[in-house]
Amino acid sequence: MKIRRPRMQRSLRQSFICLDFCHIFRYGHIWITTTLVFMLSSFGRNFATYLIQKLTGDTTSWSFDVGYVNVAASEIYGYAIVVPMAFFLLQYLGSNASIVRFWCIWGYSLSIFIPTAFLLLIPVEFLRWMIILIAGTASACFVYLNLQSYTEGVDDLTIMVVAAFLLQMALAIFIKVWFFP
């Protein structure tokens, strides 16, 4: 009787934690993506060009370009939705994850780019490239390690995991080139 009771408590506690946290964390990637869109559209070319204009002493008037909100939203939301769906469609190769898990992996991998948007306001170009490459590598490693756990034991999916790593690095370079020139 005493042996069964701790096992039951442990299993009830584990199922409660899983149900509670798995349900809550499914929406975090949406908020992270939305925050990143806001950060890129406001700190990218808009605030960065304002700072450059003030540092150089340019006397022309500066205006906020709202078009970057559309660009940031379409690129980041598109990436966060389409890329995980493409990897989910490759599931016939042997992956065992759901589309929600793929969306969560890619959504949470974008979180490193939120503080990076602050750091990319530093006006030293070499330092900015180092910051975005470190952030891109951290994001790519996050995706790589999470995908690797879902594709263990299947040799054909190594290309898929490497492709995910390269896509994350491409996104990081795109963010630097397009939003922080």
Side-chain angles (χ1 to χ4, degrees), residues 2 4 7 18 23 35 47 49 63 71 80 87 89 92 94 123 137 142 145 153 158 163 169 180:
K2 289 185 180 180
R4 288 186 177 179
R7 285 183 188 170
C18 183
H23 181 69
T35 304
F47 193 64
T49 55
S63 63
V71 172
F87 277 86
L89 293 176
Y92 68 90
T137 303
F142 177 82
L145 292 173
T158 305
M169 290 303 294
F180 298 94

Side-chain angles (χ1 to χ4, degrees), residues 104-181:
C104 286
I105 289 171
W106 262 271
Y108 283 113
S109 73
L110 299 177
S111 64
I112 189 72
F113 294 114
I114 294 170
T116 301
F118 283 115
L119 294 174
L120 288 176
L121 292 175
I122 298 171
V124 180
E125 192 64 23
F126 175 76
L127 188 58
R128 291 167 69 183
W129 274 106
M130 293 305 296
I131 290 168
I132 197 67
L133 290 177
I134 290 169
T137 303
S139 176
C141 286
F142 177 82
V143 171
Y144 175 81
L145 292 173
N146 280 293
L147 279 181
Q148 196 173 30
S149 68
Y150 287 112
T151 59
E152 285 180 352
V154 183
D155 294 332
D156 297 339
L157 294 181
T158 305
I159 294 172
M160 184 174 96
V161 173
V162 171
F165 185 90
L166 293 175
L167 280 171
Q168 286 296 110
M169 290 303 294
L171 175 69
I173 293 170
F174 171 78
I175 287 173
K176 167 62 180 92
V177 171
W178 186 260
F179 294 103
F180 298 94

Side-chain angles (χ1 to χ4, degrees), residues 1-99:
M1 192 75 154
K2 289 185 180 180
I3 295 174
R4 288 186 177 179
R5 188 168 181 216
R7 285 183 188 170
M8 186 176 5
Q9 284 179 346
R10 189 178 331 126
S11 67
L12 286 175
R13 191 176 324 131
Q14 286 174 348
S15 64
F16 173 74
I17 290 171
C18 183
L19 287 175
D20 189 24
F21 290 122
C22 291
H23 181 69
I24 291 171
F25 291 144
R26 286 189 180 166
Y27 299 104
H29 65 284
I30 296 169
W31 296 113
I32 289 170
T33 307
T34 304
T35 304
L36 182 61
V37 166
F38 172 74
M39 297 294 287
L40 290 178
S41 61
S42 61
F43 286 133
R45 291 205 187 205
N46 285 309
F47 193 64
T49 55
Y50 173 77
L51 288 178
I52 289 171
Q53 183 180 0
K54 289 297 178 186
L55 287 175
T56 59
D58 194 5
T59 58
T60 59
S61 66
W62 178 84
S63 63
F64 185 82
D65 189 2
V66 182
Y68 287 109
V69 176
N70 294 335
V71 172
S74 61
E75 294 299 322
I76 300 301
Y77 282 125
Y79 183 84
I81 292 171
V82 172
V83 171
M85 285 179 72
F87 277 86
F88 178 72
L89 293 176
L90 294 174
Q91 203 170 24
Y92 68 90
L93 292 175
S95 174
N96 58 358
S98 69
I99 185 69

